[in-house]
């Protein structure tokens, strides 16, 4: 039996962080071509509405460019068209050059949603043409601009008023695109008015998109199973990714490796052969406040295996049953996650308030680490638009099992 090369845990962490643009100093202008390059490296940035400190997409980019400010992403999307908004595993800002591959998602969405058509009723279906005509005749609109005389409801998007559901359907199937957001509300326009011609008119076969999805995911993950390749963009199915892996192994394009996990167990994965040979930079020792939706943490199971860090969002957990808090932020220091912190931008008091910090097991917050924490919090306060940082009594808690 041929033994598989071992990637030890420290190297695996550094490799993974490097592929997620967290292994270098977060310098750079954080706008224009520099920001475009960050998103190209990541592939996409998840969009989320929670604004306890700053929205997830802004925190993700700020962790990699401390000079980044939210207006830069709005300009890149709304004016420069360097990114487009659609779904990966969730709503995301995606590098514009990838738009042609999303036609596979559009086609599959149309097939799946057509099967559910009868659940939504004929009224919803009748609204799609009307919504398209309205936008063609009068320009971009949001859900607030259509269906004024229709009954409102809540729940899954198929339970919205028919015209709002029609907007969402047309977006998910590619006939409409998001041209901007007003506040956090999507504003839609015809796709040909949003996507630059070179990407709008490019076409790939299904096989080409499957190949691209697997290759680009492996580039960004460094090492992965077929399931992780499929889940990265959430664009192709697990069987498609598995088939690609089997063919790539036969061609000798990828190699099987063993990844050492934080608990010393090993996990079989795939990597490009050159991954085993290239040196990996050690991440700088600075501390960074990460969004819970940061690409390095999005796959909770992978983060737990690599870093020994178990994270679950407790937004929907009753307050009395929460272990940590409503929305706590992981703290990354070099190649370790050293704790999680409960902070909130109190804009009426012009400060970032630290409610609690729980170190990870075996981590002490001595003078040096506290200084790095305070520097990280000051940077985060600037992103949030507040001028000071405050600490509640008893903010430094005991590590929990």
């Amino acid at each position: 039996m041929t033994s598989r090369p071992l990637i030890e845990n420290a190297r695996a962490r550094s490799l993974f962080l490097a592929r997620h643009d967290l292994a270098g100093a977060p310098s750079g202008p954080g706008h224009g071509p520099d920001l475009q390059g960050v998103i190209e490296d990541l592939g996409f940035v998840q969009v989320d509405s929670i604004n306890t400190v700053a929205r997830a997409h802004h925190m993700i980019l700020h962790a990699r460019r401390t000079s980044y400010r939210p207006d830069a992403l709005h300009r890149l999307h709304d004016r420069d068209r360097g990114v487009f908004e659609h779904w990966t595993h969730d709503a995301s800002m995606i590098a514009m050059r990838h738009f042609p591959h999303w036609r596979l998602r559009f086609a599959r969405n149309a097939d799946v949603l057509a099967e559910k058509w009868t659940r939504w009723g004929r009224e919803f279906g009748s609204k799609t043409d009307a919504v398209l005509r309205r936008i063609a005749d009068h320009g971009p609109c949001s859900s607030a601009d259509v269906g004024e005389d229709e009954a409102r409801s809540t729940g899954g998007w198929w339970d919205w008023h028919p015209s709002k559901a029609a907007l969402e359907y047309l977006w998910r199937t590619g006939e409409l695109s998001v041209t901007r957001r007003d506040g956090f509300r999507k504003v839609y326009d015809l796709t040909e008015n949003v996507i630059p011609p070179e990407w709008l008119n490019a076409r790939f076969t299904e096989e080409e998109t499957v190949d691209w999805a697997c290759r680009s995911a492996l580039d960004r993950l460094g090492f992965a199973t077929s399931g992780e390749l499929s889940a990265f963009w959430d664009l192709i199915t697990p069987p498609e990714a598995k088939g690609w892996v089997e063919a790539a192994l036969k061609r000798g394009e990828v190699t099987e490796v063993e990844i050492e996990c934080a608990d010393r167990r090993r996990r079989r994965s795939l990597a490009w052969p050159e991954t085993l040979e290239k040196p990996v930079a050690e991440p700088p020792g600075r501390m960074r406040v990460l969004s819970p939706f940061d690409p390095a943490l999005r796959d909770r199971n992978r983060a737990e295996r690599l870093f020994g860090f178990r994270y679950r969002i407790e937004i929907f957990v009753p307050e009395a049953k929460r272990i940590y808090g409503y929305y706590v932020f992981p703290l990354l220091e070099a190649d370790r996650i050293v704790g999680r912190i409960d902070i909130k931008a109190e804009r009426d008091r012009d400060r970032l308030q630290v409610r609690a910090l729980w170190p990870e097991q075996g981590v002490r917050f001595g003078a040096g680490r506290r200084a790095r924490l305070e520097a990280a919090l000051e940077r985060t306060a600037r992103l949030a638009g507040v001028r000071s940082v405050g600490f509640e009594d008893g903010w430094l808690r005991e590590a929990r099992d």
Side-chain angles (χ1 to χ4, degrees), residues 359-371:
E360 288 296 283
Q361 286 290 335
V363 175
R364 291 184 63 255
F365 271 76
R369 185 163 278 138
R370 287 196 188 201

Side-chain angles (χ1 to χ4, degrees), residues 35-236:
L35 181 61
Q36 180 76 46
V38 173
I39 299 176
E40 294 277 354
D41 288 345
L42 297 175
F44 64 90
V45 173
Q46 182 172 337
V47 176
D48 191 76
S49 62
I50 296 173
N51 200 20
T52 305
V53 173
R55 290 191 168 112
H57 38 296
H58 300 314
M59 293 196 71
I60 290 167
L61 295 168
H62 183 258
R64 291 153 176 85
R65 293 291 189 272
T66 52
S67 58
Y68 167 82
R69 295 296 181 267
D71 283 349
L73 182 61
H74 297 313
R75 289 195 298 272
L76 190 64
H77 177 272
D78 302 353
R79 184 193 70 189
D80 301 338
R81 300 304 188 198
V83 295
F84 71 101
E85 182 175 345
H86 218 274
W87 281 82
T88 55
H89 60 286
D90 212 316
S92 300
M93 292 290 187
I94 307 162
M96 183 62 78
R97 67 176 63 251
H98 304 327
F99 178 84
H101 292 295
W102 254 249
R103 291 194 179 279
L104 177 62
R105 180 183 290 275
F106 301 154
R108 290 179 175 179
N109 279 349
D111 290 342
V112 169
L113 298 180
E115 291 179 7
K116 298 179 179 178
W117 194 270
T118 55
R119 300 183 190 177
W120 299 327
R122 293 180 181 276
E123 186 181 7
F124 164 62
S126 70
K127 294 295 181 180
T128 55
D129 288 343
V131 165
L132 284 172
R133 283 196 304 272
R134 186 208 183 283
I135 293 175
D137 294 343
H138 302 290
C141 75
S142 73
S143 60
D145 303 318
V146 295
E148 295 89 345
D149 57 346
E150 297 169 4
R152 265 59 175 165
S153 59
T154 59
W157 67 268
W158 49 88
D159 289 328
W160 296 337
H161 67 80
S163 291
K164 182 176 181 179
L167 279 173
E168 185 78 5
Y169 172 84
L170 291 165
W171 176 54
R172 293 201 186 194
T173 56
E175 293 193 67
L176 297 180
S177 290
V178 176
T179 187
R180 67 179 189 276
R181 281 183 181 254
D182 288 344
F184 204 68
R185 176 177 286 148
K186 295 194 291 285
V187 178
Y188 305 88
D189 197 356
L190 301 178
T191 290
E192 57 264 35
N193 294 338
V194 176
I195 306 302
E198 62 266 37
W199 309 120
L200 178 69
N201 297 324
R203 295 289 190 277
F204 293 102
T205 66
E206 186 172 300
E207 292 75 16
E208 288 172 328
T209 290
V210 170
D211 182 68
W212 168 84
C214 291
R215 291 178 182 275
S216 58
L218 189 55
D219 287 342
R220 289 167 174 82
L221 291 171
F223 49 86
T225 64
S226 64
E228 289 168 338
L229 294 180
S230 170
F232 182 82
W233 300 103
D234 196 25
L235 187 62
I236 62 173

